[in-house]
Amino acid sequence: MLPEEKKDLFHLLGILESAGKISDYSKGLETADEFIKAQNQMVYNACLTLLTNICEELDKLSAETKSKLTKLDLRAIKGMRNRIVHDYQNLDSYIIFDAIQKDLPPLKETLYEVISAGLKNNIFDKEDFSISKDSEFYKDVDFSRIES
């Protein structure tokens, strides 16, 4: 059974939550060396897990929602997930840090736009959205950027 577009809201919010946490955890780190060494690699490891979560959630989206993510290279994102999961010891921290710095902001911007459009077009349930806004689970999602 293929996923339905109306069920994608929670996947999109989950991606934004993971991306928000990565931004928070890596805030103030200016180099890949600082990133990998921060808190005895705890920040690095947490960010890798969150990046994997982002990739997994993107893969769960319906074809309809994926077709709206034309600004994103979904194939490259899936490739990153595979590298993190299957080749962890050989990851290049410079590439990971660069992806966090350069690729996360446009990813978040795109998802905020997709959610806003989905709410305006009644694709996503507004009650589900309202409940999500009040949830502790989505505390790193900037709901002020979503027009409903």
Side-chain angles (χ1 to χ4, degrees):
M1 180 176 193
L2 295 173
E4 295 179 47
E5 185 177 18
K6 64 183 178 180
K7 296 179 182 178
D8 288 340
L9 175 62
F10 297 114
H11 296 301
L12 295 168
L13 290 172
I15 295 165
L16 285 171
E17 178 64 20
S18 291
K21 284 186 181 339
I22 291 170
S23 297
D24 186 40
Y25 297 167
S26 62
K27 189 176 184 175
L29 302 175
E30 299 192 16
T31 67
D33 288 331
E34 287 178 17
F35 173 62
I36 197 165
K37 292 176 184 176
Q39 296 182 30
N40 194 26
Q41 296 187 341
M42 189 173 7
V43 168
Y44 178 72
N45 291 319
C47 288
L48 289 178
T49 299
L50 292 164
L51 285 169
T52 302
N53 290 347
I54 288 171
C55 299
E56 294 286 338
E57 290 298 312
L58 281 168
D59 201 40
K60 293 176 185 176
L61 294 172
S62 67
E64 294 88 0
T65 298
K66 285 180 184 177
S67 72
K68 297 172 185 170
L69 303 177
T70 57
K71 296 178 187 176
L72 306 177
D73 186 348
L74 294 177
R75 189 172 174 190
I77 293 169
K78 188 169 188 157
M80 175 179 274
R81 177 253 179 228
N82 290 340
R83 287 291 308 267
I84 292 169
V85 171
H86 299 292
D87 198 19
Y88 178 81
Q89 296 300 322
N90 294 314
L91 292 175
D92 186 327
S93 61
Y94 292 92
I95 292 172
I96 300 295
F97 186 70
D98 189 60
I100 288 170
Q101 298 297 306
K102 293 182 180 170
D103 298 333
L104 272 188
L107 169 75
K108 292 185 334 188
E109 185 62 36
T110 298
L111 298 185
Y112 283 122
E113 291 170 5
V114 168
I115 293 171
S116 292
L119 289 167
K120 285 180 185 173
N121 296 320
N122 295 315
I123 294 167
F124 303 136
D125 187 89
K126 290 183 180 178
E127 185 176 337
D128 287 344
F129 178 74
S130 180
I131 291 168
S132 298
K133 280 174 57 172
D134 295 331
S135 170
E136 275 295 308
F137 185 78
Y138 298 116
K139 67 181 185 144
D140 286 301
V141 174
D142 184 357
F143 284 97
S144 70
R145 295 181 61 189
I146 301 171
E147 299 174 28
S148 56

